[in-house]
Amino acid sequence: MRQIVLDTETTGLNPRTGDRVIEIGCVELVNRTLTGNNFHKYINPERESDEAALAVHGLTTEFLSDKPKFAEIAEELRAYIDGAEVIIHNAPFDLGFLNAEFQRLGLPSFVSHCSGVIDTLVNAKEMHPGKRNSLDALCDRYGVSNAHRKLHGALLDSELLADVYLAMTRGQNTLSMDVEVEASAGGIELDALPLGEIIVVSASLEEMAEHENVLAGLDKGVKGECVWRNYSPKV
């Protein structure tokens, strides 16, 4: 199974108004293992970046002026991506730009070269409803260090996303909470004692109503039914 984790940097937010791709970073996974066969290109967009975009990626017009144009790297990108499943965070953004670049050259769409697309932002929202699911937030959640990330960069962000994706999809190896305790050499084994009587205090009707109000607020926040509905009795 060959997967490509991909990210782009662009001159702005909208390819329909002439914004262009200025950096592509790709990281290859084969059978969920990083291979080191990465793809990374800076691209001369033949236009300046918006101030807001420049503040994000820091790639100046002067720096990009001697880099190849997209037409010069398109065939290499097509060969690299061909037949792979592509993993992108907020896929519509990057695919919109890449499809526009391919269309500008009269080539079949970028997505037509891929066997499929995984959007990790969509997956993260399903797994963590109502929480922040930016790449930085996911790095924090899954213990992926991004301390060296001062500005956005396509290759760096692809490397971080690859680690996040592997952590998101690794799954839990065991659901068991059992802990085996071995007596140390020479230790004293104590007799098991009966448990005391368990006292159960049920919630009052007023408390149940207040609980329902909290759940209703959570439902509104996730625009659906929050996960706690599965564990909550109805009032």
Side-chain angles (χ1 to χ4, degrees), residues 100-174:
E101 293 287 358
F102 275 48
Q103 183 180 28
R104 188 175 284 110
L105 297 174
L107 298 172
S109 67
F110 176 85
V111 293
S112 70
H113 295 78
C114 312
S115 64
V117 176
I118 293 175
D119 189 338
T120 50
L121 179 58
V122 172
N123 291 354
K125 287 181 177 179
E126 292 173 350
M127 296 171 67
H128 311 288
K131 301 230 179 132
R132 291 179 59 249
N133 289 299
S134 65
L135 181 56
D136 283 336
L138 292 177
C139 285
D140 290 341
R141 189 168 300 144
Y142 289 101
V144 175
S145 175
N146 62 347
H148 52 305
R149 186 184 190 233
K150 305 305 180 187
L151 292 171
H152 286 243
L155 183 60
L156 172 59
D157 286 1
S158 292
E159 292 170 341
L160 292 173
L161 182 58
D163 289 339
V164 165
Y165 171 76
L166 292 173
M168 286 176 64
T169 57
R170 184 172 293 125
Q172 190 170 359
N173 293 329
T174 177

Side-chain angles (χ1 to χ4, degrees), residues 10 13 16 37 59 97-98 105 127 131 192 196-198 221:
T10 63
L13 298 177
R16 292 192 181 98
N37 177 28
L59 300 176
F97 273 92
L98 291 169
L105 297 174
M127 296 171 67
K131 301 230 179 132
E197 182 182 355
I198 298 175

Side-chain angles (χ1 to χ4, degrees), residues 17-213:
T17 58
D19 284 317
R20 304 288 301 274
V21 174
I22 58 175
E23 185 185 6
I24 302 175
C26 302
V27 174
E28 183 183 61
L29 295 170
V30 175
N31 296 327
R32 294 179 56 81
T33 300
L34 292 164
T35 67
N37 177 28
N38 300 338
F39 180 94
H40 182 224
K41 298 290 183 183
Y42 291 111
I43 300 163
N44 180 356
E46 303 177 88
R47 59 160 291 169
E48 294 186 353
S49 291
D50 296 343
E51 288 187 11
L54 183 60
V56 170
H57 54 65
L59 300 176
T60 64
T61 301
E62 181 181 6
F63 173 78
L64 297 170
S65 62
D66 62 347
K67 302 301 184 287
K69 298 177 177 63
F70 195 93
E72 299 173 60
I73 62 96
E75 287 301 324
E76 187 179 355
L77 177 60
R78 290 176 73 189
Y80 179 82
I81 214 76
D82 188 49
E85 183 176 55
V86 179
I87 301 168
I88 308 174
H89 199 67
N90 191 17
F93 180 86
D94 300 86
L95 293 180
F97 273 92
L98 291 169
N99 284 334
E101 293 287 358
F102 275 48
Q103 183 180 28
R104 188 175 284 110
L105 297 174
L107 298 172
S109 67
F110 176 85
V111 293
S112 70
H113 295 78
C114 312
S115 64
V117 176
I118 293 175
D119 189 338
T120 50
L121 179 58
V122 172
N123 291 354
K125 287 181 177 179
E126 292 173 350
M127 296 171 67
H128 311 288
K131 301 230 179 132
R132 291 179 59 249
N133 289 299
S134 65
L135 181 56
D136 283 336
L138 292 177
C139 285
D140 290 341
R141 189 168 300 144
Y142 289 101
V144 175
S145 175
N146 62 347
H148 52 305
R149 186 184 190 233
K150 305 305 180 187
L151 292 171
H152 286 243
L155 183 60
L156 172 59
D157 286 1
S158 292
E159 292 170 341
L160 292 173
L161 182 58
D163 289 339
V164 165
Y165 171 76
L166 292 173
M168 286 176 64
T169 57
R170 184 172 293 125
Q172 190 170 359
N173 293 329
T174 177
L175 294 176
S176 174
M177 297 294 290
D178 296 334
V179 178
E180 295 183 3
V181 180
E182 297 182 0
S184 60
I188 300 174
E189 185 175 346
L190 300 176
D191 293 332
L193 298 175
L195 294 175
E197 182 182 355
I198 298 175
I199 301 174
V200 177
V201 179
S202 299
S204 67
L205 291 177
E206 291 79 6
E207 290 170 332
M208 292 293 291
E210 182 61 29
H211 179 67
E212 176 61 27
N213 288 337

